[in-house]
Amino acid sequence: MLHRIEPRSGVAFTLKRGQRLKVSDPEGEQVADLLAFNADDVDEVISSGRTLDYASRIFLTTGDPLYSNRSNVMLRLEEDRVGRHDFLLTPCSADTFRIIYGDEHPHRGCFGNLAAALAPFGIGPDRIPIAFNVFMNVTVDGATGELKVEPPRSRAGDYTVFAAEMDLIIGLTACSALQSNNYAFKPIHYEILD
Amino acid sequence: MLHRIEPRSGVAFTLKRGQRLKVSDPEGEQVADLLAFNADDVDEVISSGRTLDYASRIFLTTGDPLYSNRSNVMLRLEEDRVGRHDFLLTPCSADTFRIIYGDEHPHRGCFGNLAAALAPFGIGPDRIPIAFNVFMNVTVDGATGELKVEPPRSRAGDYTVFAAEMDLIIGLTACSALQSNNYAFKPIHYEILD
């Protein structure tokens, strides 16, 4: 069953060990912020710092595991039609729009959307870490350290499949930040495959 | 008053708003993992993802703020005699030594040292995020995304001064990982300046 996440919104759902999550970009150049929590103990959460350390790489793709803050594998990238994602930046938020874009009446962003979607699972906003930002294209200048948010490489219909290695609560968005998706808000599709 | 952190150990202490923390490398090529929590509400914690996003840079130095997960400035780099620090990787841990170094009887690492030092402040191990790794020299290949841990640029006596912009609980280590400090465990010195 195909689910649609409307532009600038987010959802949360459970994903069982052994199931796979297919995240698709139906129109191209859109980003989906992905969070994962251990369904049996939500203090165990996806960890950028551990994952990048163990991979010794900031760019992850097919075969790479996503570790938790307790160094357990939560998800594994099983199939990746895009090959460029970000794991450095927190979900965009009202603060992002205020600080980076100068908005006076900022949108709540992926952060606010994730917080609202995760609340029924007992997960508060302070528990939201760096997300695995599916399709987000952030470049790093190795000499200066400069980060640039470039248009995603995903074209209409491209997707990435994640395999769950434990029972999870997943948070997932259609990203709300202009830079992330080349200045056009679009939906995200997802499917849970058994 | 000068404090000494013994090799492969860690401490925690309070730092008041307006005070400054001077972190020194007495022998050179050593790393100190730095964590910060709001002293009045330890659910507010230093955030790599927000700081790097707002800076649009992975390398931070004099003048740069370190943000919390609530987008408040916790610390600011006031004086920096080294100019290269890491904010991508979690503190080294027993898992690090097991996964990266293949140790059968791993040291508890900076993670274990920080967890023990922070426990009296009511901060549990699951609350330990990516640290600001003072003097740690991690390079990124912008094309491949490869991360390399190089010897720190700090020479004997070099230091960085952080100014506190809120009342904080600080966790600080003399790093336990071989790669971080060019394969020699050394102490770290710190001073609290009013």
Side-chain angles (χ1 to χ4, degrees):
Chain A
M1 184 175 144
L2 188 75
H3 301 269
R4 176 184 165 95
I5 306 176
E6 295 299 329
R8 300 193 108 181
S9 73
V11 297
F13 51 87
T14 56
L15 186 72
K16 292 281 183 193
R17 178 182 173 141
Q19 288 185 319
R20 288 166 299 138
L21 171 66
K22 180 178 177 178
V23 180
S24 306
D25 183 354
E27 299 181 15
E29 296 191 340
Q30 175 57 307
V31 165
D33 289 14
L34 171 70
L35 292 178
F37 299 83
N38 179 341
D40 298 319
D41 181 353
V42 296
D43 279 334
E44 183 167 13
V45 57
I46 192 168
S47 170
S48 162
R50 294 212 182 233
T51 301
L52 300 185
D53 196 8
Y54 303 151
S56 296
R57 251 181 303 119
I58 59 168
F59 301 134
L60 304 175
T61 187
T62 307
D64 283 323
L66 304 183
Y67 284 91
S68 75
N69 58 335
R70 297 179 192 164
S71 294
N72 297 309
V73 177
M74 303 188 101
L75 293 159
R76 194 177 298 272
L77 278 76
E78 188 176 274
E79 187 183 355
D80 184 12
R81 295 293 180 100
V82 177
R84 179 56 55 91
H85 315 281
D86 170 68
F87 209 5
L88 299 180
L89 304 180
T90 37
C92 64
S93 61
D95 300 312
T96 315
F97 296 124
R98 182 174 51 80
I99 294 172
I100 295 186
Y101 295 86
D103 291 357
E104 284 185 23
H105 303 287
H107 188 271
R108 67 182 184 177
C110 286
F111 185 87
N113 288 330
L114 288 163
L118 291 165
F121 294 95
I123 298 166
D126 287 329
R127 295 286 93 80
I128 295 179
I130 294 172
F132 186 79
N133 301 306
V134 187
F135 313 135
M136 190 174 185
N137 184 9
V138 178
T139 62
V140 182
D141 183 315
T144 65
E146 188 186 8
L147 295 170
K148 278 191 186 165
V149 182
E150 303 283 1
R153 294 182 178 177
S154 49
R155 300 186 177 206
D158 276 346
Y159 60 86
T160 301
V161 178
F162 301 85
E165 299 207 359
M166 62 171 74
D167 291 349
L168 296 170
I169 297 160
I170 298 288
L172 192 67
T173 70
C175 185
S176 307
L178 287 162
Q179 285 186 339
S180 301
N181 44 37
N182 207 12
Y183 297 86
F185 302 124
K186 282 164 286 194
I188 283 288
H189 289 177
Y190 72 94
E191 286 175 85
I192 296 173
L193 311 169
D194 284 311
Chain B
M1 187 176 143
L2 187 75
H3 301 270
R4 175 185 166 94
I5 306 176
E6 295 299 328
R8 299 194 109 181
S9 73
V11 296
F13 51 87
T14 56
L15 185 72
K16 292 282 182 191
R17 176 182 174 142
Q19 288 184 320
R20 289 167 299 139
L21 171 66
K22 180 178 177 179
V23 180
S24 307
D25 183 352
E27 299 181 16
E29 295 191 341
Q30 174 58 308
V31 165
D33 289 15
L34 171 71
L35 293 178
F37 299 83
N38 178 341
D40 298 320
D41 181 352
V42 297
D43 279 334
E44 182 166 13
V45 57
I46 192 168
S47 169
S48 162
R50 293 212 181 232
T51 301
L52 301 184
D53 196 7
Y54 303 152
S56 295
R57 250 180 305 119
I58 59 168
F59 300 135
L60 304 176
T61 186
T62 307
D64 283 324
L66 304 182
Y67 284 92
S68 75
N69 58 336
R70 297 179 191 164
S71 294
N72 298 309
V73 177
M74 304 188 99
L75 293 160
R76 192 177 298 271
L77 278 76
E78 187 176 274
E79 187 182 356
D80 184 11
R81 294 293 180 99
V82 178
R84 179 56 56 92
H85 315 281
D86 171 67
F87 208 6
L88 298 180
L89 304 179
T90 38
C92 64
S93 62
D95 300 312
T96 315
F97 296 124
R98 181 174 52 79
I99 294 172
I100 296 186
Y101 295 87
D103 292 356
E104 286 184 22
H105 304 287
H107 188 270
R108 68 181 183 175
C110 287
F111 185 87
N113 288 330
L114 287 164
L118 290 166
F121 294 95
I123 298 166
D126 287 329
R127 295 285 94 79
I128 295 178
I130 293 172
F132 186 80
N133 301 305
V134 188
F135 313 135
M136 190 175 185
N137 185 8
V138 178
T139 62
V140 182
D141 183 316
T144 65
E146 188 186 7
L147 295 170
K148 278 192 185 164
V149 181
E150 302 284 2
R153 295 184 179 176
S154 49
R155 299 188 177 203
D158 277 346
Y159 61 86
T160 302
V161 178
F162 301 85
E165 299 207 0
M166 64 171 73
D167 291 349
L168 297 169
I169 297 160
I170 297 289
L172 192 68
T173 70
C175 184
S176 307
L178 287 162
Q179 285 185 337
S180 301
N181 43 38
N182 207 11
Y183 297 86
F185 303 125
K186 282 163 285 192
I188 284 288
H189 289 176
Y190 72 94
E191 286 174 85
I192 296 173
L193 310 170
D194 284 310

